[in-house]
């Protein structure tokens, strides 16, 4: 039941896998079983699963993020695209350590070198841009932000209390495969410090 699945992400306990297929956000138990539909998502652009029992996800490529219960339901607005600031969509959400603050890519058109990284907390009405010129971003605990720019991966020191970049970014890797649509490099990091990428 996972034919055509894209953008997979794990539940916090590692027992479920969220993914997008057939214009829907779905989840499936890793021990086996049929996938369950959680919400509509015409063109999924990433999701992240909170330990508090909700999922934040990009349901389409040209709108803000949405939030839904891990048990499914009608997705509600989490973030709003700021058209006046040149934003076109919010993609690739990832949860920070508090599981209530979301780091995501602000797509502005073109390649990812023109994108931005922003944060927004649960209950906040607006997001805050923390970095210009890159995306997606992943936090490497306790204090590193890893993000893509073209086919490079860069690192910047990150203050987890202020949710802000505090140091000058530097390159850690070059020659990472990127997606044809926006040029985002394909990579992931683990909490233990391992980096996986497609060369």
């Amino acid at each position: 039941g996972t034919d055509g699945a894209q953008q997979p992400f794990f539940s916090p306990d590692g027992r479920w896998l969220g993914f997008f297929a057939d214009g829907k956000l779905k989840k499936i138990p890793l021990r086996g079983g049929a996938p369950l539909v959680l919400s509509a998502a015409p063109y999924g652009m990433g999701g992240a699963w909170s330990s508090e029992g909700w999922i934040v996800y990009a349901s389409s490529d040209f709108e803000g993020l949405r939030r839904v219960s891990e048990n499914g339901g009608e997705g509600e607005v989490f973030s709003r695209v700021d058209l006046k600031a040149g934003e076109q969509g919010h993609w690739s959400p990832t949860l920070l350590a508090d599981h209530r603050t979301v780091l995501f890519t602000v797509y502005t058109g073109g390649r990812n070198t023109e994108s931005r990284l922003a944060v927004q907390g649960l209950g906040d009405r607006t997001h805050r841009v923390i970095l210009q010129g890159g995306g997606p971003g992943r936090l490497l605990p306790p204090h590193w932000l890893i993000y893509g720019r073209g086919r490079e991966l860069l690192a910047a020191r990150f203050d987890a209390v202020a949710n802000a970049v505090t140091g000058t970014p530097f390159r850690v890797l070059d020659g990472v495969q990127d997606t044809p649509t926006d040029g985002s490099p394909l990579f992931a990091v683990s909490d233990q410090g391992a980096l996986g990428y497609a060369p």
Side-chain angles (χ1 to χ4, degrees), residues 104-127:
F104 58 91
T105 301
V106 176
Y107 179 66
T108 60
R111 310 300 279 176
N112 79 326
T113 53
E114 302 163 28
S115 295
R116 306 163 188 158
L117 289 176
V119 293
Q120 181 171 328
L122 181 64
D124 293 343
R125 298 181 63 87
T126 59
H127 56 278

Side-chain angles (χ1 to χ4, degrees), residues 47-153:
W49 199 319
S50 172
S51 59
E52 296 186 349
W54 49 271
I55 296 170
V56 63
Y57 63 104
S59 67
S60 182
D61 47 354
F62 290 107
E63 62 179 47
L65 300 176
R66 301 186 71 80
R67 185 172 75 105
V68 69
S69 165
E70 64 184 6
N71 298 314
E74 186 71 28
E76 62 182 32
V77 172
F78 181 85
S79 69
R80 296 183 186 277
V81 171
D82 185 350
L83 297 175
K84 292 181 180 179
E87 299 181 4
Q88 295 185 22
H90 295 166
W91 299 354
S92 304
T94 187
L95 285 154
L96 300 186
D98 63 2
H99 271 240
R100 296 178 63 84
T101 305
V102 180
L103 169 73
F104 58 91
T105 301
V106 176
Y107 179 66
T108 60
R111 310 300 279 176
N112 79 326
T113 53
E114 302 163 28
S115 295
R116 306 163 188 158
L117 289 176
V119 293
Q120 181 171 328
L122 181 64
D124 293 343
R125 298 181 63 87
T126 59
H127 56 278
R128 176 170 53 89
V129 173
I130 62 169
L131 191 139
Q132 300 274 354
R138 297 289 181 258
L139 197 63
L140 180 61
H143 51 234
W144 292 107
L145 173 65
I146 311 296
Y147 69 98
R149 185 179 65 194
R151 294 187 173 200
E152 296 179 316
L153 292 183

Side-chain angles (χ1 to χ4, degrees), residues 13-36:
D13 61 11
R15 297 172 61 189
W16 293 84
L17 194 67
F19 65 96
F20 299 90
D22 306 318
K24 302 284 193 300
L25 169 63
K26 303 181 180 184
K27 69 176 184 178
I28 192 168
L30 291 185
R31 295 178 66 182
L36 304 173

